[in-house]
C-alpha cells in the first residue's frame, strides 16, 4: 500500500490559519475564540499550528497586519482614488457596504473597530498595529479632502478634523448596525454625511 503524498506548502498553511482566525475574530471576537477552534477550522495539525503561531497573540498580530489592513485598504482607502472628489467617494463607499450587508442579511461589524474595541486596552503591540491602520485610513481621507481644497471644490473645510468625523461616523454606525443586525444606522450616517459635505463643496455632488 502506498502512503499518500504530503504537500509541503507552509505559506498555504499559514494563510489558511490566518484566514480562519480572521473570520472567527470578526464573528465571535478575539477573546472568545480559542486556538483549538481556529486549528480545527483551518484543518491543520497541532504541530503546524505551533510552528506558525506558537501563541494566540502572534496570530492576533498577523490577522491585524495581514487581513485587517487589507480589509480597510479594499473597503475604504483604494475606493477613494476611484472618484474625483471626497463626497462622491464616501457616498459610494457607504452605498457599497450597505448593499453588501443587505445582501448578506447579517452584520459582523468593522474588523478594525471590532478588534480595537476589544483588545487595545490589553496589548500595547496590538494597540500600535491597530492605531497604524487608523492613521493610514485617516491620512487617505485627509489627503482626499485636502486635494479638494486645493482644486477649489471645497470651502470652510478642515481636512484633519473632517477625516476624523467620517471615520467616527462610520465606525459608530457600523457598531449600531451590528447591534441591530440591519444597515439602517449606516444609511442614516450616509445621508447626514452627504448633507454636511454638500454644504462645504461648490459644484461637487455627493450622489444619492
Amino acid at each position: 500500500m502506498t502512503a499518500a503524498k504530503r504537500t509541503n506548502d507552509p505559506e498555504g498553511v499559514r494563510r489558511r490559519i490566518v484566514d480562519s482566525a480572521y473570520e472567527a475574530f470578526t464573528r465571535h471576537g478575539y477573546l472568545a475564540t480559542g486556538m483549538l477552534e481556529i486549528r480545527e477550522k483551518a484543518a491543520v495539525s497541532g504541530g503546524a499550528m505551533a510552528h506558525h503561531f506558537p501563541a494566540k497573540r502572534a496570530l492576533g498580530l498577523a490577522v491585524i497586519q495581514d487581513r485587517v489592513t487589507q480589509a480597510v485598504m479594499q473597503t475604504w482607502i483604494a475606493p477613494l482614488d476611484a472618484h474625483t472628489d471626497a463626497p462622491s467617494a464616501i457616498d459610494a463607499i457607504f452605498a457599497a457596504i450597505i448593499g453588501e450587508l443587505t445582501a448578506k442579511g447579517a452584520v459582523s461589524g468593522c474588523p478594525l473597530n471590532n478588534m480595537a474595541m476589544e483588545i487595545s486596552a490589553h496589548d500595547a503591540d496590538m494597540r500600535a498595529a491597530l492605531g497604524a491602520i487608523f492613521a493610514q485610513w485617516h491620512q487617505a481621507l485627509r489627503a482626499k479632502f485636502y486635494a479638494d481644497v486645493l482644486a477649489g471644490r471645497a470651502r470652510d473645510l478642515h481636512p484633519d478634523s473632517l477625516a476624523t468625523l467620517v471615520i467616527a461616523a462610520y465606525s459608530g454606525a457600523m457598531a449600531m448596525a451590528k447591534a441591530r443586525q440591519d444597515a439602517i444606522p449606516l444609511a442614516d450616517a450616509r445621508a447626514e454625511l452627504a448633507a454636511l459635505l454638500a454644504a462645504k463643496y461648490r459644484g461637487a455632488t455627493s450622489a444619492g
Side-chain angles (χ1 to χ4, degrees):
M1 182 175 179
T2 305
K5 291 183 178 180
R6 297 181 62 188
T7 302
N8 185 16
D9 182 17
E11 280 305 310
V13 170
R14 183 187 185 280
R15 184 168 55 251
R16 205 157 68 241
I17 295 170
V18 173
D19 285 344
S20 298
Y22 174 66
E23 183 178 349
F25 293 165
T26 300
R27 284 180 177 273
H28 309 299
Y30 173 81
L31 298 177
T33 302
M35 291 292 274
L36 178 59
E37 176 185 347
I38 296 169
R39 179 166 71 82
E40 290 176 346
K41 185 175 181 60
V44 299
S45 68
M49 187 78 165
H51 171 73
H52 289 286
F53 301 105
K56 184 180 175 182
R57 180 175 178 276
L59 180 53
L61 284 168
V63 166
I64 293 169
Q65 292 161 355
D66 296 354
R67 296 297 181 269
V68 177
T69 298
Q70 183 182 51
V72 174
M73 178 64 70
Q74 291 178 345
T75 303
W76 270 95
I77 296 176
L80 286 173
D81 293 330
H83 297 267
T84 302
D85 56 77
S88 58
I90 292 167
D91 190 78
I93 291 167
F94 267 88
I97 293 168
I98 291 167
E100 181 182 349
L101 295 179
T102 301
K104 286 171 57 178
V107 182
S108 57
C110 168
L112 176 58
N113 199 45
N114 287 353
M115 293 198 75
M117 294 292 287
E118 187 179 15
I119 62 179
S120 289
H122 304 294
D123 189 288
D125 289 338
M126 289 190 184
R127 180 168 63 250
L130 292 163
I133 301 172
F134 272 116
Q136 187 179 11
W137 183 6
H138 184 274
Q139 175 56 28
L141 280 165
R142 178 193 176 280
K144 193 70 174 178
F145 285 130
Y146 188 61
D148 287 345
V149 172
L150 290 181
R153 289 188 286 266
R155 57 185 171 80
D156 300 326
L157 186 157
H158 302 283
D160 279 304
S161 57
L162 194 52
T164 298
L165 177 64
V166 171
I167 293 172
Y170 171 76
S171 298
M174 182 61 87
M176 292 175 67
K178 181 178 180 180
R180 292 176 48 163
Q181 283 301 297
D182 67 53
I184 291 175
L186 286 162
D188 289 344
R190 175 192 181 191
E192 291 303 317
L193 283 173
L196 172 68
L197 293 175
K200 296 179 178 293
Y201 277 70
R202 293 190 297 268
T205 59
S206 36

